[in-house]
Amino acid sequence: MCSNEQPPQVPPEATIRFGKDTSLEVRKTFRVVPYVATTLLDCSKQLVQMSRTCEGRFREGMDISVSCRAASVGAITTGCAAFEAYLNEDLFNAAGWAKEHGMPEKERLLGLAMKLTPRDRLDALASSYGEPIDWGGEPYQSLDIILSIRKHLLHHEILPYSAIEGHWPAKKLRDLQKRIKSPYPDALNLNWDQHALTPAGAEWVVRVIEDICQRMEEWWGTKRSQLEGKSSGKSDS
């Protein structure tokens, strides 16, 4: 959900009774939107703290404990899930507003955007708000790298690599050491995952994703205020 407002706690089914005669019942099914983005983002931040707690001392890539690596991986994957949840919830909200304000073409395009990649989905959402994205600037350049981390983490490709150069399945991942302030910035032969799947990597990923989610909240809040202002102006005239 793209704001701090909580969705109404309505049960999936409710029984409505009329008067004292409880034998007369009308059962109605309510459709409730499942918002989970805020919960996922909070979980990712908690996992970052857990990874920091069991961090220990860094000497070589393999020195990181399993518990520390596990918390770091959890923070990154949950953070990426939070980003996609925020994105989907915002697209849903934007399409709902378009429908409510008589913009069927915009509603249809936002609905179609749900079938795109996360990057293209964000482009479509930003465009609908009049907020063009510069993928060469921050924080979107970092987000592009994070989406690559997500891809290679969840869809691991078995590709031979040079032990001297390390495993870097995408060119853009080569910038990881500087961006996350890796504990071993000079160890160029370490694999991408030995830099990314660390407390430093997890903290960087979640920080960037939180920034992007806050921007989506601001887009939604601004657009909603504009639409409400127009609606109020029409009703006063």
Side-chain angles (χ1 to χ4, degrees):
M1 191 171 183
C2 293
S3 71
N4 291 325
E5 302 170 6
Q6 294 297 316
Q9 300 300 311
V10 182
E13 284 194 351
T15 300
I16 305 172
R17 293 182 173 84
F18 296 91
K20 296 180 181 180
D21 184 3
T22 56
S23 62
L24 179 61
E25 297 182 352
V26 177
R27 300 189 67 82
K28 182 173 179 58
T29 300
F30 294 89
R31 295 178 66 83
V32 183
V33 178
Y35 291 105
V36 298
T38 303
T39 298
L40 290 171
L41 188 58
D42 287 343
C43 288
S44 69
K45 290 190 283 188
Q46 186 64 38
L47 285 163
V48 169
Q49 294 304 315
M50 291 170 63
S51 71
R52 283 296 189 192
T53 300
C54 54
E55 184 172 10
R57 297 181 60 188
F58 290 107
R59 292 183 298 277
E60 297 177 2
M62 298 308 293
D63 272 357
I64 301 176
S65 67
V66 174
S67 58
C68 180
R69 188 80 79 181
S72 301
V73 171
I76 291 170
T77 53
T78 308
C80 290
F83 161 69
E84 196 158 356
Y86 262 95
L87 180 56
N88 292 345
E89 289 172 12
D90 231 11
L91 280 167
F92 176 86
N93 288 336
W97 271 95
K99 180 179 181 179
E100 187 176 336
H101 289 78
M103 296 179 280
E105 189 62 24
K106 191 169 189 177
E107 178 195 2
R108 187 180 71 84
L109 290 173
L110 288 168
L112 290 173
M114 293 292 287
K115 301 178 181 180
L116 302 174
T117 64
R119 173 173 165 151
D120 289 340
R121 248 179 286 166
L122 184 61
D123 264 326
L125 178 67
S127 180
S128 76
Y129 289 147
E131 299 281 351
I133 288 178
D134 175 13
W135 288 98
E138 291 298 332
Y140 303 107
Q141 193 174 65
S142 287
L143 177 62
D144 194 35
I145 295 173
I146 290 169
L147 292 176
S148 182
I149 290 174
R150 174 188 177 276
K151 172 188 173 184
H152 293 290
L153 182 59
L154 299 182
H155 307 285
H156 176 54
E157 298 176 83
I158 310 300
L159 298 172
Y161 64 92
S162 166
I164 296 176
E165 295 182 0
H167 183 216
W168 302 91
K171 186 178 180 180
K172 64 183 70 174
L173 293 177
R174 289 259 179 200
D175 201 25
L176 275 175
Q177 295 102 309
K178 294 179 181 178
R179 287 183 180 274
I180 68 176
K181 297 180 181 178
S182 173
Y184 8 77
D186 299 325
L188 299 179
N189 62 328
L190 283 175
N191 300 338
W192 74 273
D193 54 293
Q194 290 174 300
H195 286 286
L197 308 183
T198 62
E203 189 171 23
W204 171 71
V205 167
V206 173
R207 184 173 64 249
V208 171
I209 285 175
E210 186 173 23
D211 185 5
I212 297 291
C213 292
Q214 287 175 348
R215 287 169 187 252
M216 286 192 281
E217 276 195 27
E218 290 168 4
W219 296 344
W220 168 239
T222 301
K223 180 59 68 175
R224 183 169 57 179
S225 297
Q226 291 173 349
L227 289 171
E228 287 174 347
K230 289 180 180 178
S231 298
S232 177
K234 288 180 181 178
S235 62
D236 293 340
S237 59

